[in-house]
Amino acid sequence: MKKKILSAAVLAALGAGSAQAVNLSTDGTGEVLVFPYFTVQGNEETLLSIVNTTNEGKVVKVRFREAYNTQEVLDFHVYLSPYDVWVAKIQDDPAGGAQVTTPDNSCTTMDTNPQPFVDLLFGDTGPTGIERTREGYFTAIEIARIVNMDLDGNGAQDYVHDASGVPDNCGAIRTAWLNGTMAANATVDQPTGGLMGTLGIINVQSGTEVTVPATVLENFLDTPQHVAPGSLRPDWQDANPNSVVMTSDSSNGSVSVYADAWATGEDAVSAVLMASALMNEYTVNPATEASTAWIVTFPTKTLYVNGGAARAPFTHTFAGDTDGDGVACEEIGVSLWNREEQQREVTGSLVSPPPPSQTLSLCYEANVIQFGDSSNVFSAENTVTRFNDSALPGNTGWGKISFTAAAHTMTSLNGTVYNGLPVIGFKATVLGNSNVGVGASYAAAVNHAYERSIVGQPAFTVGSGNNGNP
């Protein structure tokens, strides 16, 4: 659903006052890239790339958040030339946390390179040490399209690479922010999308790397928000408070399009990411020396579980547990099948750490679920749940995580009910081959599949006997 299509049929259902509506990209490019995980635990490092596929200049706010409670640990601006690519690496910081470093020439507002992550916002009940920054997730939000940024008046755009591959005058951009003249001398306009990106988690010592594309949102901002680099905005609450979500019915081949209005921007984003269940495969087959982990991330969760009572679709506020770790646990259901259709329902007694009241729960913003007793994919430490060997119906198979609490719902201003939780993630499998003498490792990653449950009147339905007419 691109903007041109939205303006024709879907926005008519939203009403005349709506300029656009947040939606998942169908072509892999858009205004917002959501990367579900980063880690620097053990020997892991995380690589990232952000690509501008358009002939327009872009201002992108890159924001890193820790895994417990999505507290921001670093953000800065990247100024992308037309058709530019910006790459970076998140790596171990000798001071105990994580840091980002880049070999790229694209203009940024980073103070140093490498740039350490910080713990200035750890005022909640979670851990307070810098080690909390070693796992998390990150986003890249296009906050403006550049019309003119010739701040030094030499006739060239300061952010655009010259023949030597270096921006004309990145220093002028940084100086303009520092002396308060940026807003007066730069011209920007509404974001138009066209970004794509990939994350890769690499372990040089074991010789493995897994890569997954970002989850991409379109139609996020109505207006440019070229705010100062030190601002915590824009964020999810600044999104357009309208959403468009497509669901398909495999029984008749129809596709329904739901167009809804929401009280807040974060609700619109949550609706777009809402799933009643996620599914993927796993293997811990000893014959292939296999280990598997699933990443399950709730990107918007912090805006629902901090600052008083929890808000739907989340049910618990962020609080410290007896170990001093921050938690805001959400009940889940887990069903696993082996490759011969044998099913097992996982219960609280078969996972570690055991959740409260023997109910299965995921308690963090970015959760790492290890399969089997010995899996240690990503050397994850901060936010691990483990499905022990005794929980698995076999050493290979697939599983489903369902968001089962009755309160896991959101209702739009239109009265449409969205069931589940806003979630993204992937599975990563690492295989070994110690029979080759020196040893070898292989890795692969696959994004989760999702079930969506929406109750209400769609804006229109395509297929199922209506000849494709909305």
Side-chain angles (χ1 to χ4, degrees), residues 223-312:
T223 59
Q225 295 201 25
H226 192 213
V227 298
S231 172
L232 298 179
R233 311 293 284 272
D235 202 353
W236 303 127
Q237 62 265 50
D238 299 301
N240 185 287
N242 299 299
S243 66
V244 168
V245 178
M246 293 187 295
T247 64
S248 60
D249 186 340
S250 59
S251 66
N252 59 23
S254 65
V255 175
S256 295
V257 178
Y258 293 86
D260 285 282
W262 300 89
T264 67
E266 65 263 29
D267 285 350
V269 175
S270 294
V272 168
L273 300 178
M274 198 76 137
S276 56
L278 63 83
M279 298 162 287
N280 219 318
E281 296 181 81
Y282 75 88
T283 177
V284 292
N285 187 355
T288 56
E289 302 171 25
S291 298
T292 295
W294 287 8
I295 303 299
V296 179
T297 299
F298 304 112
T300 60
K301 182 179 176 183
T302 188
L303 295 175
Y304 296 87
V305 304
N306 289 283
R311 295 192 294 120

Side-chain angles (χ1 to χ4, degrees), residues 67-87:
Y68 282 95
N69 192 29
T70 318
Q71 297 302 300
E72 184 175 320
V73 295
L74 184 67
D75 82 31
F76 50 83
H77 291 177
V78 177
Y79 291 81
L80 294 176
S81 298
Y83 310 113
D84 194 6
V85 181
W86 184 73
V87 298

Side-chain angles (χ1 to χ4, degrees), residues 158-462:
D158 296 326
Y159 69 97
V160 173
H161 296 67
D162 59 24
S164 66
V166 177
D168 178 70
N169 192 348
C170 185
I173 294 175
R174 293 182 53 82
T175 298
W177 280 120
L178 291 171
N179 64 21
T181 61
M182 171 57 79
N185 292 286
T187 305
V188 296
D189 206 342
Q190 178 183 356
T192 53
L195 301 180
M196 68 179 186
T198 304
L199 78 85
I201 301 176
I202 187 170
N203 187 317
V204 175
Q205 290 196 6
S206 65
T208 60
E209 180 183 5
V210 298
T211 59
V212 293
T215 297
V216 184
L217 305 180
E218 296 184 293
N219 301 298
F220 184 76
L221 292 176
D222 273 340
T223 59
Q225 295 201 25
H226 192 213
V227 298
S231 172
L232 298 179
R233 311 293 284 272
D235 202 353
W236 303 127
Q237 62 265 50
D238 299 301
N240 185 287
N242 299 299
S243 66
V244 168
V245 178
M246 293 187 295
T247 64
S248 60
D249 186 340
S250 59
S251 66
N252 59 23
S254 65
V255 175
S256 295
V257 178
Y258 293 86
D260 285 282
W262 300 89
T264 67
E266 65 263 29
D267 285 350
V269 175
S270 294
V272 168
L273 300 178
M274 198 76 137
S276 56
L278 63 83
M279 298 162 287
N280 219 318
E281 296 181 81
Y282 75 88
T283 177
V284 292
N285 187 355
T288 56
E289 302 171 25
S291 298
T292 295
W294 287 8
I295 303 299
V296 179
T297 299
F298 304 112
T300 60
K301 182 179 176 183
T302 188
L303 295 175
Y304 296 87
V305 304
N306 289 283
R311 295 192 294 120
F314 292 92
T315 62
H316 290 82
T317 57
F318 188 82
D321 63 15
T322 56
D323 296 324
D325 294 335
V327 294
C329 296
E330 297 297 329
E331 182 180 343
I332 62 172
V334 179
S335 297
L336 301 173
W337 290 262
N338 64 21
R339 290 181 179 173
E340 284 72 45
E341 305 91 42
Q342 299 302 306
Q343 181 182 1
R344 183 154 197 175
E345 300 291 334
V346 181
T347 65
S349 62
L350 295 178
V351 300
S352 61
S357 304
Q358 294 300 299
T359 60
L360 275 177
S361 299
L362 294 178
C363 298
Y364 306 105
E365 306 288 311
N367 301 269
V368 182
I369 301 174
Q370 302 282 6
F371 282 74
D373 292 349
S374 59
S375 285
N376 190 31
V377 179
F378 303 140
S379 305
E381 296 179 15
N382 286 355
T383 57
V384 174
T385 295
R386 185 176 297 277
F387 295 167
N388 296 332
D389 286 346
S390 55
L392 305 180
N395 56 30
T396 57
W398 70 282
K400 176 191 289 189
I401 293 178
S402 302
F403 305 111
T404 57
H408 287 161
T409 64
M410 289 197 319
T411 302
S412 73
L413 298 180
N414 310 56
T416 308
V417 177
Y418 288 68
N419 297 293
L421 291 174
V423 63
I424 61 173
F426 62 95
K427 72 101 175 179
T429 294
V430 177
L431 306 175
N433 187 356
S434 57
N435 296 320
V436 298
V438 296
S441 297
Y442 316 90
V446 177
N447 282 330
H448 297 317
Y450 302 95
E451 290 182 350
R452 306 194 187 275
S453 174
I454 303 175
V455 181
Q457 181 63 41
F460 59 84
T461 298
V462 178

